[in-house]
Amino acid sequence: MSILCCVPVIECVYCLGCSHWLWKKCMYSAGHESESWGLATSDEFDPIPRLCRLILAVYEEDLHNPMWAPPGGYGLDPDHVILKKDYDQTQGRVTPYMIYLDHDNDAVVLAIRGLNLAKESDYALLLDNKLGQTKFDGGYVHNGLLKAAMWVFEEEHEVLNRLLEENPSYSLTFVGHSLGAGVVSLLVLFVLQNRGRLGNIERKRIRCVAIAPPRCMSLHLAVTYADVINSVVLQDDFLPRTTTALEDVFKSIICLPCLLCLTCVKDTFTFEEKKLKDARRLYAPGRLYHIVVRKPLRLGRYPPVVRTAVPVDGRFDQLVLSCNATADHAIIWIQRESQRALDLMLEEDQVMQIPVEQKIVRQKSVVEEHDEEYRAAIMKAASLNIPMSPSPSYGTFHDTAEEGESSTGGSVNEGSPSMWSFKGMKRKWNRFVDRHFPMDDDDSGDMILKKEESSTLLCR
């Protein structure tokens, strides 16, 4: 048609469609994802900048003589650091971490730093996963991060138990950034399953803050543990949105924008219902806090706004084509923007001059709203009826090719074949035969077609 008319009609339509899609993607701002979320309050967001400082402190070799302290310091007493382990002591099982006894905030804190680009062990840990490889508590989790979390628990549960016995009113807080955020998210799941080894600590005394976490648990777990896990994401951060295999991300680190663009195209043609129905798909964990600092077609940074929710759909499923996708992942920027956001919240509270009694009432109402939102998210997730059987792979991680058993406390590590493989299609055919061609009752071995099924099949 294009040749006969001497006008490239089809080519023009194709180019216009691609240009329209690219324009929408480039105009898409991460702020749109959380537009319908509620605003976070200063009371619930207050610990975030302080915990970011504790993560930064893990990078220091000598906390008594810090070299990289942010403005205002790390906000900790080096004498109250119970232990601090580096790569030599962890033997590459996990990134460096420390345990800090925070008397000012009545908390025992375990902080784990993020990935070190110069350490092969960190890459091996993050890439140790295949789609649907490891089950845990009725859902799927990241295999390598779960192994690291279990190793930390086995190493430090006696120390944590002793500190909690000596300080019975203190809370137990886990905090991590990037790879460390994934480890602490799965660590808190393992702790809740083994509270007896920590003196039967109450669930309400356990908290987890995941800063810029990777996708590490399925939707069922991400929503169920939203009362314990809080995830903090700065605007366009790529890691919580990365649905492609992390192995491909780090293989293409030199041309990461090209990979992100291809991932955008892939996600565009994947239906939302198909994503939610796959039980193996991993998500950012828990309640989400989104720090928004930029607006489309405007230069510079604006006063940060923090929004929060426990969403079921729209858990950072859209990859953002932004030049800040990697910069927003840096812990130093997250610490600065979270501190700016908290300062603005506190200034607003001072301007409003809220009486103490009303503050207490507001805190209680916020807790009640979060509880209602949490229950509603669980009911919505349950209404999806997500099957535990695998569906065709489309993202998050590669399909597993082998079958085996997992060592996650009775959970099974199933590498079920894809439904499009030979075994999967043979299984579907056997189910079809069993459903429509039941065996005769006289054990003759002849197959009989159901009458109600015969009319249906003939009409197709």
Side-chain angles (χ1 to χ4, degrees), residues 48 207-211 226-232 285-289:
I48 304 302
R207 286 290 176 267
C208 174
V209 177
I211 311 294
D227 61 326
V228 179
I229 305 175
N230 296 326
S231 292
V232 180
R287 170 174 286 275
L288 303 179
Y289 287 85

Side-chain angles (χ1 to χ4, degrees), residues 165-396:
E165 288 179 352
E166 295 173 356
N167 304 275
S169 63
Y170 282 22
S171 63
L172 179 59
T173 302
F174 300 95
V175 61
H177 169 250
S178 188
L179 185 148
V183 174
V184 295
S185 298
L186 299 184
L187 175 58
V188 77
L189 266 63
F190 197 74
V191 167
L192 291 170
Q193 297 290 328
N194 297 272
R195 287 185 295 162
R197 300 174 67 179
L198 292 176
N200 290 318
I201 181 174
E202 299 89 345
R203 183 187 178 101
K204 63 181 181 181
R205 290 174 56 195
I206 302 175
R207 286 290 176 267
C208 174
V209 177
I211 311 294
R215 292 174 171 243
C216 58
M217 61 181 69
S218 57
L219 181 62
H220 163 69
L221 298 177
V223 173
T224 301
Y225 290 93
D227 61 326
V228 179
I229 305 175
N230 296 326
S231 292
V232 180
V233 178
L234 176 60
Q235 187 98 12
D236 301 333
D237 189 356
F238 77 96
L239 190 59
R241 299 178 171 87
T242 302
T243 57
T244 189
L246 292 175
E247 182 179 2
D248 295 338
V249 172
F250 289 102
K251 282 182 180 178
S252 308
I253 196 70
I254 298 177
C255 191
L256 185 59
C258 301
L259 179 66
L260 298 183
C261 184
L262 291 175
T263 304
C264 274
V265 176
K266 185 177 181 180
D267 290 344
T268 300
F269 296 100
T270 304
F271 294 106
E272 185 70 22
E273 182 181 0
K274 182 179 179 181
K275 297 178 183 178
L276 293 176
K277 288 293 185 181
D278 190 349
R280 304 170 302 170
R281 183 179 173 88
L282 304 184
Y283 293 85
R287 170 174 286 275
L288 303 179
Y289 287 85
H290 193 201
I291 306 175
V292 181
V293 296
R294 288 180 297 273
K295 298 180 181 180
L297 293 180
R298 299 185 185 181
L299 299 176
R301 291 175 179 261
Y302 280 71
V305 175
V306 183
R307 302 167 183 160
T308 180
V310 187
V312 174
D313 49 354
R315 294 184 69 89
F316 297 126
D317 287 331
Q318 291 289 334
L319 198 61
V320 181
L321 295 180
S322 169
C323 59
N324 300 290
T326 54
D328 286 349
H329 185 68
I331 181 64
I332 187 65
W333 279 113
I334 298 174
Q335 187 272 325
R336 291 177 183 176
E337 296 300 338
S338 62
Q339 186 64 59
R340 286 182 58 203
L342 179 61
D343 293 340
L344 290 175
M345 293 179 191
L346 295 176
E347 289 178 7
E348 185 178 353
D349 291 345
Q350 291 178 358
V351 171
M352 296 176 65
Q353 296 181 350
I354 303 175
V356 178
E357 295 181 356
Q358 291 188 8
K359 285 185 178 180
I360 296 175
V361 173
R362 186 180 69 169
Q363 292 176 3
K364 292 181 179 179
S365 64
V366 168
V367 172
E368 293 176 356
E369 290 176 0
H370 284 187
D371 289 341
E372 292 178 0
E373 188 177 19
Y374 170 61
R375 289 193 292 268
I378 291 180
M379 293 178 63
K380 185 175 182 180
S383 65
L384 295 175
N385 295 322
I386 302 176
M388 289 301 294
S389 58
S391 60
S393 173
Y394 54 83
T396 308

Side-chain angles (χ1 to χ4, degrees), residues 146-162:
L146 181 62
K147 288 181 181 178
M150 294 172 64
W151 185 88
V152 173
F153 182 81
E154 294 298 334
E155 286 288 314
E156 309 300 346
H157 76 276
E158 294 181 356
V159 176
L160 296 175
N161 189 28
R162 175 176 59 82

